[in-house]
């Protein structure tokens, strides 16, 4: 993939994962035997990328770097740090690493877990000389998973995505919460463009293929802070921009036409002399209204992943729980047999296990019954424990004689001996006192104790 660079965003603060995150970096949340960020990096490695730019917070770089050095990755990782005390959105971060981008590039979020082939997305981008191509998944991966803790109704964030059926051109992307009872569609989005499908149950995978000129343009748009919420809708709208009338011809440059207005998006499009010759000799060279692009020089595409592909963004506690719950059953399709579910660095002395996953340096003692559970790095499960359908996170400790069923035990939490927990969330760094019996509660240092009845 020498044609493209790859950028993985791993500087998110995980504000939608308060129940499990604590003070750990979001990208190091345990998903099976590896940290979350390993999965998009492994996906890029499978697509023959040899080097990836990883955007991280400055204060988290060493921790992330150390964690990834203990995984079976062969990529060269170029860590681009952004200030930890700054309020950087994803668009801000792209501007900050501008000097590192030398070619067309992929942007991938650190919270993607998928086995989808990226080649159809990349080929669509190449075929139509697109400004942007984005990957979309069907929603519903976590629909059959019930959260432990107090009963609450999960309201997923949804987008409204308009796609022209015949061409896969994006017409618009907007948050469903921004629309009230009606969705207004501008007439020009329908004229001469065929059927427009509007989806409300597609998930933006946060995988984007972008032209180099896009980051040149973004660099000047300093008022835009986020990529998904602000820049993506902005760029899609610019598909219908027409080239300003005042232009100058530059025959000495590769760029054949340059507008004097540097704030106009079309100033940045590489409409080269070669592009013009191709257009002149094209079979489609009749009129703009009859051309395949209707005169649009900026083109954006939305590509849907196959329905049987695995695809989830681990960006909230429910999706985090869902991927860990389902990981054992989808592992071979996701990662292949060469990556074991039990890390070579894990110490598993228990002889009563069924469908467990253990990360590096997890210590699972003898005389334990461990079933359908995930054990994060450096966790300790003492003897005489029963753990079922649960997620024990990194550096958590479960002392002797506990019974844990359908629970999340948070980062650095401690469950003292003789405790019985069912359908509970134990927050990061929380200490469950000896002999505690709790059901359907969320115990944390912030909220202390909250309980509701299960109907």
């Amino acid at each position: 993939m020498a044609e493209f660079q790859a950028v993985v965003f791993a500087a998110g603060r995980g504000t939608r994962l308060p129940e499990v995150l604590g003070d750990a970096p979001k990208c190091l949340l345990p998903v099976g035997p590896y940290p979350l960020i390993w999965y998009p990096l492994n996906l890029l490695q499978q697509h023959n990328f040899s080097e990836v730019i990883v955007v991280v917070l400055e204060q988290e770089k060493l921790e992330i770097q150390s964690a990834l050095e203990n995984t079976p990755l062969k990529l060269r990782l170029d860590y681009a740090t952004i200030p930890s005390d700054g309020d950087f959105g994803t668009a801000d971060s792209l501007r900050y690493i501008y000097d590192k981008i030398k070619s067309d590039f992929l942007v991938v979020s650190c919270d993607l877990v998928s086995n989808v082939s990226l080649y159809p997305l990349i080929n669509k981008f190449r075929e139509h000389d697109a400004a942007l191509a984005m990957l979309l998944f069907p929603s519903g991966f976590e629909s059959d998973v019930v959260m432990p803790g107090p009963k609450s109704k999960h309201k997923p964030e949804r987008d409204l995505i308009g796609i022209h059926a015949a061409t896969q051109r994006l017409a618009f992307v907007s948050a469903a919460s921004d629309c009230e009872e009606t969705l207004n569609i501008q007439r020009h989005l329908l004229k001469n463009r065929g059927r427009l499908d509007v989806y409300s149950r597609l998930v933006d995978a946060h995988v984007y293929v972008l032209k180099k000129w896009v980051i040149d343009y973004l660099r000047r748009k300093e008022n835009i802070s986020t990529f998904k919420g602000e820049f993506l809708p902005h760029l899609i709208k610019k598909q219908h921009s027409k080239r300003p009338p005042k232009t100058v011809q530059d025959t000495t440059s590769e760029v054949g036409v340059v507008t004097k207005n540097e704030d106009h998006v079309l100033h940045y499009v590489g409409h080269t002399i070669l592009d013009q010759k191709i257009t002149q000799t094209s079979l489609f060279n009749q009129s703009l209204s009859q051309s395949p692009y209707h005169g649009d020089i900026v083109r954006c595409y939305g590509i849907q992943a196959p329905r049987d592909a695995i695809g989830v963004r681990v960006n909230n506690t429910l999706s985090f729980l869902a991927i860990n719950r389902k990981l054992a059953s989808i592992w071979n399709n996701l990662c292949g047999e060469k990556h074991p579910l039990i890390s070579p660095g894990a110490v598993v002395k228990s002889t009563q296990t069924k469908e467990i996953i253990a990360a590096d340096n997890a210590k699972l003692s003898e005389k334990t019954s461990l079933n359908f559970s995930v054990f994060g790095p450096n966790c300790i499960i003492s003897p005489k424990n029963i753990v079922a359908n649960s997620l024990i996170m990194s550096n958590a400790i479960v002392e002797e004689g506990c019974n844990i069923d359908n629970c999340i035990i948070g980062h650095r939490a401690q469950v003292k001996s003789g405790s019985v927990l069912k359908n509970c969330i134990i927050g990061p760094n929380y200490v469950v006192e000896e002999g505690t019996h709790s059901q359907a509660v969320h115990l944390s240092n912030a909220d202390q104790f909250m309980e509701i009845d299960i109907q």
Side-chain angles (χ1 to χ4, degrees):
M1 298 301 295
E3 179 183 354
F4 296 94
Q5 292 177 269
V7 178
V8 171
F9 280 130
R13 300 179 188 271
T15 55
R16 287 176 286 186
L17 290 144
E19 300 93 340
V20 296
L21 190 56
D23 56 359
K26 171 189 171 182
C27 67
L28 295 186
L29 281 171
V31 175
Y34 300 117
L36 177 57
I37 190 176
W38 179 85
Y39 293 88
L41 290 173
N42 183 59
L43 182 67
L44 291 169
Q45 182 172 277
Q46 291 174 340
H47 285 80
N48 298 317
F49 283 91
S50 59
E51 184 171 349
V52 177
I53 299 168
V54 183
V55 181
V56 299
L57 292 176
E58 192 171 23
Q59 69 180 23
E60 295 178 349
K61 176 189 172 183
L62 292 179
E63 186 178 357
I64 295 168
Q65 187 174 5
S66 176
L68 288 174
E69 285 173 353
N70 294 321
T71 66
L73 283 173
K74 298 179 181 178
L75 292 167
R76 292 191 302 274
L77 301 180
D78 177 10
Y79 291 94
T81 60
I82 61 175
S84 301
D85 56 356
D87 186 18
F88 277 65
T90 43
D92 297 322
S93 297
L94 270 179
R95 277 193 295 269
Y96 198 77
I97 66 166
Y98 172 82
D99 290 339
K100 289 182 177 289
I101 305 300
K102 310 296 184 184
S103 66
D104 297 346
F105 61 107
L106 275 74
V107 171
V108 185
S109 175
C110 74
D111 59 20
L112 172 71
V113 179
S114 179
N115 68 342
V116 70
S117 171
L118 300 180
Y119 293 125
L121 178 75
I122 292 169
N123 289 337
K124 176 65 74 171
F125 176 86
R126 288 168 169 156
E127 178 186 359
H128 298 286
D129 195 26
L132 170 143
M134 64 183 290
L135 181 65
L136 302 165
F137 289 129
S139 64
F141 182 86
E142 63 273 14
S143 60
D144 58 345
V145 175
V146 178
M147 276 282 290
K151 188 181 290 186
S152 61
K153 190 171 182 179
H154 176 65
K155 295 182 180 179
E157 296 180 2
R158 288 182 177 160
D159 294 319
L160 296 177
I161 302 174
I163 302 176
H164 292 288
T167 62
Q168 297 179 289
R169 285 278 299 275
L170 284 166
F172 58 84
V173 174
S174 63
S177 58
D178 292 341
C179 302
E180 296 182 355
E181 295 182 357
T182 60
L183 173 66
N184 296 319
I185 298 177
Q186 294 178 329
R187 183 175 298 177
H188 71 84
L189 295 178
L190 302 173
K191 187 177 180 181
N192 299 323
R193 296 172 188 270
R195 192 181 79 198
L196 176 65
D197 294 336
V198 179
Y199 297 89
S200 63
R201 296 185 181 272
L202 287 178
V203 176
D204 177 2
H206 283 220
V207 177
Y208 311 107
V209 191
L210 296 158
K211 279 287 188 187
K212 167 64 170 69
W213 67 257
V214 172
I215 195 172
D216 298 334
Y217 176 63
L218 174 62
R219 190 185 188 193
R220 292 187 62 87
K221 295 294 179 181
E222 295 183 359
N223 60 318
I224 292 178
S225 180
T226 64
F227 188 91
K228 166 68 185 295
E230 298 174 83
F231 186 67
L232 180 62
H234 175 85
L235 185 63
I236 291 171
K237 288 180 181 178
K238 291 298 181 181
Q239 291 182 100
H240 311 296
S241 297
K242 302 305 177 186
R243 198 173 284 279
K246 293 185 178 181
T247 61
V248 295
Q249 189 74 22
D250 179 5
T251 57
T252 63
S253 170
E254 181 188 7
V255 179
V257 179
V258 178
T259 167
K260 292 179 179 179
N261 182 0
E262 292 191 358
D263 284 330
H264 198 285
V265 65
L266 297 184
H267 170 75
Y268 296 88
V269 181
H271 196 60
T272 65
I273 295 172
L274 178 60
D275 294 330
Q276 297 172 34
K277 290 181 179 178
I278 291 172
T279 301
Q280 292 168 4
T281 58
S282 171
L283 294 174
F284 297 104
N285 185 25
Q286 299 173 33
S287 68
L288 292 182
S289 63
Q290 294 175 306
S291 76
Y293 307 125
H294 304 277
D296 298 336
I297 297 174
V298 177
R299 298 182 285 276
C300 302
Y301 291 84
I303 309 303
Q304 297 184 48
R307 296 201 67 83
D308 59 351
I310 299 165
V312 58
R313 287 195 60 227
V314 185
N315 60 352
N316 57 54
T317 303
L318 182 60
S319 58
F320 172 63
L321 179 62
I323 188 61
N324 276 291
R325 284 271 179 87
K326 298 181 179 184
L327 200 58
S329 62
I330 64 175
W331 185 255
N332 285 342
N333 289 331
L334 183 65
C335 298
E337 297 179 1
K338 67 179 181 178
H339 298 293
L341 279 170
I342 296 179
S343 169
V347 179
V348 182
K349 295 183 178 179
S350 174
T351 58
Q352 299 181 53
T353 65
K354 185 174 183 180
E355 290 195 26
I356 67 167
I357 301 173
D360 187 57
N361 206 37
K363 295 178 174 63
L364 314 182
S365 300
E366 67 280 355
K367 299 180 182 179
T368 53
S369 175
L370 312 174
N371 301 303
F372 306 104
S373 297
V374 177
F375 301 90
N378 305 302
C379 73
I380 298 175
I381 307 298
S382 300
K384 301 179 182 179
N385 280 314
I386 299 173
V387 181
N389 303 302
S390 295
L391 173 57
I392 314 299
M393 294 186 61
S394 57
N395 297 284
I397 298 174
V398 180
E399 295 183 356
E400 289 191 8
C402 296
N403 190 327
I404 297 174
D405 183 19
N406 192 39
C407 294
I408 299 176
I409 310 299
H411 174 69
R412 297 188 185 278
Q414 183 175 359
V415 181
K416 292 195 171 182
S417 59
S419 296
V420 178
L421 304 176
K422 185 172 183 178
N423 300 323
C424 295
I425 299 176
I426 309 302
N429 303 297
Y430 189 85
V431 177
V432 178
E433 295 299 333
E434 183 176 346
T436 297
H437 285 56
S438 294
Q439 180 172 334
V441 298
H442 179 192
L443 303 174
S444 74
N445 290 321
D447 301 325
Q448 293 303 316
F449 191 93
M450 181 169 60
E451 182 175 5
I452 66 167
D453 293 330
I454 297 293
Q455 300 296 328

